[in-house]
Amino acid sequence: MSCVFCDIVNKKIPAFVVAENKNAIAFLDINPIADGHTVVISKKHYANLRECPDEVLSDMIKLSKEVANKISESKLKPWGFNYLSNDQKIAGQEIMHVHFHVIPKYGKHEGFKFGIGTHYVDEVKKVYTILNKK
Ligand code: AMP
């Protein structure tokens, strides 16, 4: 099955690579929502965070930190960052290859905004009981 992110890893298509380590590679998002918006992906193909081995996730998070520090120390000077991984189409995942977005925040109304859903939300205590039922 073809995967655009695997094509970037295999250098079949170009990307603006900003950092790399053993298991992960980071490049600028082709359709950024803020200057410096970066995608950090695993070098091997895994569909999402839940399927990705811990060692690979660890390298992805370390690389996300490295990228955020690189952006912070650059002339871009954001005020903060959002780190995001979409899992499944309903959650906004377009590319079915695990990745984190590193999105610089330059102002309250710019970049990524964490939305509050309107879906019925159950009592926190009830949800806690569901999660901890033996
Ligand atoms: P998601 O919606 O979480 O799957 O995000 C996928 C992201 O990958 C989107 O923000 C796209 O703009 C980005 N993207 C897709 N193709 C490329 C590409 N060839 N190079 C860089 N970024 C890409």
Side-chain angles (χ1 to χ4, degrees):
M1 220 170 65
S2 78
C3 168
V4 68
F5 284 177
C6 287
D7 286 348
I8 288 174
V9 173
N10 297 324
K11 298 189 173 18
K12 283 191 192 155
I13 62 169
F16 294 101
V17 174
V18 291
E20 188 174 351
N21 63 22
K22 186 176 163 225
N23 291 302
I25 184 162
F27 48 87
L28 296 179
D29 195 296
I30 205 168
N31 193 16
I33 61 167
D35 286 341
H37 179 177
T38 301
V39 188
V40 178
I41 72 169
S42 59
K43 286 187 177 172
K44 257 183 91 177
H45 186 96
Y46 302 100
N48 54 52
L49 184 149
R50 291 168 294 125
E51 293 185 7
C52 191
D54 290 352
E55 188 200 344
V56 176
L57 278 177
S58 167
D59 269 3
M60 290 172 71
I61 289 291
K62 284 179 193 160
L63 200 62
S64 300
K65 177 182 171 181
E66 187 182 321
V67 165
N69 279 327
K70 189 170 183 169
I71 295 168
S72 282
E73 288 155 16
S74 76
K75 275 161 75 174
L76 293 173
K77 292 271 172 290
W79 298 359
F81 292 89
N82 289 102
Y83 308 95
L84 173 74
S85 187
N86 297 322
D87 181 346
Q88 300 298 308
K89 269 199 168 24
I90 188 133
Q93 186 176 10
E94 286 171 12
I95 311 281
M96 298 298 152
H97 179 134
V98 65
H99 55 279
F100 284 100
H101 293 262
V102 177
I103 310 169
K105 193 85 180 165
Y106 297 96
K108 204 172 175 184
H109 302 292
E110 292 175 35
F112 179 78
K113 191 146 194 272
F114 191 78
I116 310 273
T118 51
H119 178 74
Y120 173 74
V121 175
D122 218 333
E123 255 180 87
V124 174
K125 192 177 170 191
K126 199 168 152 191
V127 174
Y128 178 79
T129 310
I130 292 168
L131 292 176
N132 288 284
K133 225 170 203 160
K134 300 250 159 61

